[in-house]
Amino acid sequence: MSGWRVVVVTGRSKLDLRYNSISIRRDNGTDFIHIGEVGTLILETTAISITAALMCELINQKVKVIFCDEKSNPHFELLPFYGSHDCSAKIKEQISWTDFFKESLWTIIVKEKIENQMKLLKKLNKEEYKLLQEYSSQIEHNDSTNREGHSAKVYFSSLFGNDFSRNKENSLNAFLNYGYQILLSTFNKEIVANGYLTQIGLFHKNMFNYYNLSSDLMEPFRVIIDELAYKENPQKFEKDEKRKLQNILNFKYRINENNHYLSEVIKIYTKSIFDALNSNDLSLVRFFSDEL
């Protein structure tokens, strides 16, 4: 079982490997954290140095490492070349997935995303949920009529007001972007661990997007960040807001008739996607629920 802790390192420090633990050296002393406990390591400042030996061991033990920029926002991550012993076979499988089945899979992912948005609006007593319910029932193969786009306009306006735009630079969008980045990074980890390429997506095909497949699979999970943003209504985006988002992987949800931490839910869901793709069987896909 992989680690469960999200560890955030702040301030000037040096990280290296000591007896299967992360050694964090600062001016006022040294802390040790056993690698087996860590699921995600976030380096929140550029004033941190980390040894190659530690990075190699973190990769070996499948710890997700996220590096932040000078503004303490996620900037890049550490990914292995080979996440599975049979990567070549997995990549051949990925290339052989048919367009029709990928489109069929994308259709149910979009439907699940809209239904999750609808459920959140209904939970918050927003009457607009009825319109999303209608859009969900209208989805066609590969979402050819773009119900996802129509739903997004209604959904975000209902949650955050008619003046809200994802293109504006403000605390709310910073909050959303940071949370989505954590989700994306977690999906990157699981896709690579299963031996597949993040670049080759189902629907997303941007030649400049290194994470097309991750962008596809994370869509039904965005609502988790949206709900937290609605509850917090951030007027600023600083340390406290980031800590709340960094804790999302410890939220619990229901999947396969059991309750799991979000990090494990993403692992189960991602594996079910690959099982479905390799068996041409949509019934194998397992979605999550917030009803514990």
Side-chain angles (χ1 to χ4, degrees), residues 200-213:
I200 303 176
L202 307 174
F203 175 79
H204 289 83
K205 296 179 174 67
N206 190 327
M207 64 183 290
F208 302 109
N209 184 0
Y210 197 81
Y211 309 118
N212 284 312
L213 185 55

Side-chain angles (χ1 to χ4, degrees), residues 3-219:
W4 68 94
R5 293 178 63 181
V6 177
V7 175
V8 183
V9 181
T10 62
R12 184 176 300 277
S13 52
K14 180 175 181 180
L15 277 60
D16 56 18
L17 179 65
R18 288 289 184 274
Y19 309 110
N20 204 34
S21 293
I22 303 171
S23 168
I24 305 174
R25 285 191 285 166
R26 301 186 181 90
D27 292 339
N28 59 352
T30 302
D31 295 316
F32 295 91
I33 302 173
H34 194 273
I35 294 176
E37 298 178 1
V38 183
T40 302
L41 174 66
I42 300 176
L43 307 183
E44 205 173 50
T45 171
T46 55
I48 296 171
S49 63
I50 181 171
T51 65
L54 176 57
M55 287 192 288
C56 286
E57 190 58 31
L58 291 170
I59 283 290
N60 289 340
Q61 298 199 38
K62 302 186 185 303
V63 175
K64 169 58 61 181
V65 183
I66 300 174
F67 294 83
C68 295
D69 61 18
E70 65 280 359
K71 296 180 180 179
S72 298
N73 292 321
H75 191 49
F76 64 99
E77 60 188 83
L78 193 63
L79 284 174
F81 279 135
Y82 309 105
S84 172
H85 69 282
D86 55 351
C87 279
S88 295
K90 295 292 183 63
I91 293 170
K92 287 179 181 178
E93 288 177 350
Q94 188 170 6
I95 294 170
S96 71
W97 297 336
T98 66
D99 287 341
F100 181 82
F101 193 81
K102 287 192 290 184
E103 291 168 357
S104 299
L105 181 55
W106 175 245
T107 304
I108 69 168
I109 287 175
V110 170
K111 184 176 178 65
E112 184 71 12
K113 176 184 180 179
I114 296 174
E115 289 183 352
N116 285 348
Q117 293 174 332
M118 179 271 293
K119 290 174 184 176
L120 176 57
L121 294 187
K122 188 174 182 180
K123 178 179 176 180
L124 299 174
N125 296 314
K126 306 281 188 180
E127 285 298 311
E128 291 85 351
Y129 86 86
K130 296 175 183 177
L131 189 51
L132 265 66
Q133 199 169 39
E134 183 179 340
Y135 285 149
S136 176
S137 68
Q138 295 171 346
I139 289 182
E140 298 180 4
H141 180 76
N142 203 34
D143 191 26
S144 58
T145 58
N146 193 26
R147 296 298 93 181
E148 180 191 18
H150 292 297
S151 296
K153 292 178 183 178
V154 175
Y155 172 71
F156 280 114
S157 294
S158 179
L159 276 184
F160 305 124
N162 292 328
D163 294 334
F164 174 78
S165 170
R166 285 287 290 132
N167 297 321
K168 293 180 180 179
E169 290 189 14
N170 53 40
S171 297
L172 177 55
N173 274 318
F175 190 97
L176 291 170
N177 292 337
Y178 193 98
Y180 294 156
Q181 189 63 46
I182 290 175
L183 285 179
L184 181 71
S185 183
T186 307
F187 274 98
N188 291 340
K189 172 185 175 181
E190 293 306 328
I191 290 169
V192 171
N194 277 279
Y196 298 98
L197 298 174
T198 60
Q199 297 95 325
I200 303 176
L202 307 174
F203 175 79
H204 289 83
K205 296 179 174 67
N206 190 327
M207 64 183 290
F208 302 109
N209 184 0
Y210 197 81
Y211 309 118
N212 284 312
L213 185 55
S214 311
S215 300
D216 290 326
L217 302 196
M218 71 177 279
E219 291 293 352

